[in-house]
């Protein structure tokens, strides 16, 4: 059984920072690609960043230079460091992985960027 639980969301002013964490249970963490997605109200879910088991990262253009994805394979945790936050970053952020053709998602954590 694979379970993902996000934490670290909250309310932050524009220009501020947050660090999201996603704890993954199960024994697959070290061999799978991990991803962060986000879903804003009335918008489609979009991928934000991914990191392979070897640490290769990819980002959506809108967060390049501001967000950093990382992982700790010893701790089964993936992180998303978010700097220079903008109001348009407001969304529910979800952690994701795929294994054996099955997608696994966490419940999400709310990030609100507002003054």
């Amino acid at each position: 059984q694979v379970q993902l639980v996000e934490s670290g969301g909250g309310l932050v002013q524009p220009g501020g920072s947050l660090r999201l964490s996603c704890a993954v249970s199960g024994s697959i963490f070290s061999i799978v690609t991990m991803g962060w997605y986000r879903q804003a109200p009335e918008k489609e879910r979009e991928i934000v960043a991914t990191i392979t088991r070897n640490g290769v990262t990819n980002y959506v253009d809108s967060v390049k230079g501001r967000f950093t994805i990382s992982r700790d394979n010893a701790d089964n945790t993936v992180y998303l460091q978010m700097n220079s936050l903008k109001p348009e970053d407001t969304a529910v952020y979800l952690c994701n992985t795929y294994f054996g053709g099955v997608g696994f998602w966490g419940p999400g954590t709310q990030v609100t960027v507002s003054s």
Side-chain angles (χ1 to χ4, degrees):
Q1 184 76 9
V2 178
Q3 292 185 323
L4 291 72
V5 180
E6 304 93 340
S7 61
L11 173 64
V12 63
Q13 292 186 342
S17 298
L18 282 175
R19 189 191 195 204
L20 306 183
S21 300
C22 174
V24 182
S25 66
S27 60
I28 67 168
F29 183 82
S30 64
I31 64 172
V32 294
T33 292
M34 297 298 303
W36 282 100
Y37 287 69
R38 64 186 179 187
Q39 186 156 21
E42 301 181 354
K43 291 188 177 180
E44 291 193 359
R45 187 172 295 183
E46 70 166 346
I47 190 164
V48 176
T50 60
I51 184 167
T52 70
R53 61 181 180 177
N54 295 319
V56 177
T57 58
N58 275 290
Y59 300 90
V60 67
D61 285 347
S62 60
V63 308
K64 284 181 180 177
R66 299 189 298 123
F67 290 11
T68 302
I69 188 171
S70 61
R71 65 190 294 162
D72 184 341
N73 286 344
D75 209 22
N76 283 13
T77 304
V78 61
Y79 302 96
L80 187 67
Q81 178 66 44
M82 305 186 296
N83 299 328
S84 302
L85 283 160
K86 305 175 181 180
E88 51 263 43
D89 294 318
T90 295
V92 175
Y93 283 72
L94 304 107
C95 184
N96 161 268
T97 192
Y98 286 91
F99 182 73
V102 179
F104 297 93
W105 296 87
T109 186
Q110 177 70 46
V111 172
T112 302
V113 185
S114 175
S115 55

